[in-house]
Amino acid sequence: MSDLKQHIASAFDRDLEGIQAQILKMGGLVEVAIHDSAKSLETRDEELAEQVRKGDKLIDEMDEVLNEEAARLIALRAPTASDLRVVLSVMRMSANLERIGDLSKNLAKRTTVLAQMTQINGSTSALRRMARDVELMLKDALDAYIKRDEALALDVIDRDRDVDQMYNTLFREFLTFMLEDPRNITSCMHLHFIAKNIERMGDHVTSIAEQVVFLASGKKPEEARIKEDRTSSDPALSADIELE
């Protein structure tokens, strides 16, 4: 290899390492956002909720920078098939992480609203457990990315079914509370949208794990993922509400 080609190759490797380091840093911030948003809901900690909302701006900025760097890398370096797969996967992972950050922000926004309402027994702790499962899924998906561990990524994909089932259970419980006492309707509707946001986080983590499978094996998971969310067929139940 000539000195020029070697220099170009090493520069590309440095650039590639740089965007991969950035995606892991972004993933760490998103893990914190999931944890803190769920904690703020359970403890009615409005100050912590505000930190999550402010922190989402940094996640958004990192997504923009990553996409710009990845696009520049493709344009200037014309990477080969395997390297191109890494760059494209980073871009897709970044988009999923950015969306999880948005959903975490949505959770945090509801802390102030729920703090002014009657608590539904056990609901916020159940939502915290559900969010904890998603947080652990994301941690494992990122670990699988670092190690190119296809088996761990497939395990993350499989665990999304548990999150879906938790959501279905909570949905039924909220319906029961609303039927038992109409005064619970407003609180339960907010709690339902929170549960739905967490369930969607699980979907985005699953998409990240699918990118890891793609990187490790060169192909997407063979079996189509079966969703366990039994409410998504009803737009009125699956829709999300953004709070200012």
Side-chain angles (χ1 to χ4, degrees):
M1 181 182 291
S2 69
D3 290 344
L4 177 59
K5 287 183 178 178
Q6 188 172 14
H7 173 74
I8 292 172
S10 61
F12 173 79
D13 288 341
R14 286 196 301 271
D15 289 344
L16 192 59
E17 288 173 5
I19 64 170
Q20 291 188 93
Q22 282 292 96
I23 199 72
L24 294 175
K25 182 178 179 181
M26 185 179 177
L29 292 176
V30 173
E31 283 183 55
V32 172
I34 298 171
H35 178 274
D36 287 352
S37 61
K39 184 178 179 181
S40 72
L41 282 168
E42 185 178 29
T43 61
R44 301 295 197 267
D45 188 336
E46 296 184 39
E47 184 176 342
L48 182 58
E50 182 61 23
Q51 288 179 21
V52 174
R53 294 174 67 173
K54 289 180 178 178
D56 184 58
K57 294 179 181 178
L58 178 56
I59 294 171
D60 290 344
E61 290 170 2
M62 292 187 73
D63 176 51
E64 290 181 11
V65 171
L66 268 167
N67 276 284
E68 290 172 0
E69 288 296 310
R72 184 183 65 82
L73 202 56
I74 293 172
L76 295 180
R77 308 297 187 191
T80 59
S82 59
D83 289 334
L84 179 61
R85 195 159 64 225
V86 174
V87 177
L88 293 176
S89 293
V90 165
M91 294 176 75
R92 290 166 184 153
M93 290 170 62
S94 179
N96 281 292
L97 288 171
E98 189 274 334
R99 187 59 189 138
I100 297 170
D102 286 345
L103 292 167
S104 298
K105 180 179 67 175
N106 285 352
L107 263 63
K109 286 178 179 180
R110 294 183 188 274
T111 295
T112 301
V113 177
L114 289 174
Q116 302 167 3
M117 296 181 179
T118 303
Q119 293 195 31
I120 304 298
N121 289 337
S123 59
T124 50
S125 59
L127 290 167
R128 176 103 185 260
R129 287 193 298 272
M130 187 177 171
R132 177 60 176 164
D133 281 0
V134 172
E135 181 188 344
L136 291 173
M137 283 172 60
L138 178 56
K139 178 182 182 300
D140 285 345
L142 294 172
D143 286 346
Y145 173 72
I146 295 170
K147 302 171 185 175
R148 299 299 193 264
D149 189 334
E150 182 181 359
L152 181 56
L154 289 170
D155 179 63
V156 170
I157 293 169
D158 188 59
R159 279 151 56 189
D160 186 50
R161 295 180 183 180
D162 296 333
V163 174
D164 289 346
Q165 289 170 356
M166 291 174 71
Y167 166 73
N168 291 333
T169 298
L170 283 170
F171 175 75
R172 289 192 295 268
E173 289 179 359
F174 295 149
L175 277 182
T176 300
F177 281 123
M178 287 188 283
L179 291 171
E180 287 178 348
D181 189 342
R183 290 174 295 182
N184 291 329
I185 290 176
T186 302
S187 294
C188 284
M189 287 300 293
H190 280 287
L191 291 167
H192 165 252
F193 287 124
I194 289 167
K196 187 61 184 177
N197 279 343
I198 298 173
E199 186 270 333
R200 285 177 174 172
M201 290 182 193
D203 290 343
H204 287 290
V205 174
T206 300
S207 294
I208 291 171
E210 288 174 346
Q211 288 301 315
V212 176
V213 173
F214 178 56
L215 276 177
S217 66
K219 55 187 177 182
K220 292 292 184 73
E222 293 181 1
E223 296 183 4
R225 180 158 45 108
I226 300 173
K227 287 294 295 172
E228 298 292 337
D229 172 10
R230 306 302 184 190
T231 69
S232 58
S233 59
D234 187 339
L237 299 178
S238 60
D240 189 21
I241 292 178
E242 292 279 352
L243 296 181
E244 295 298 330

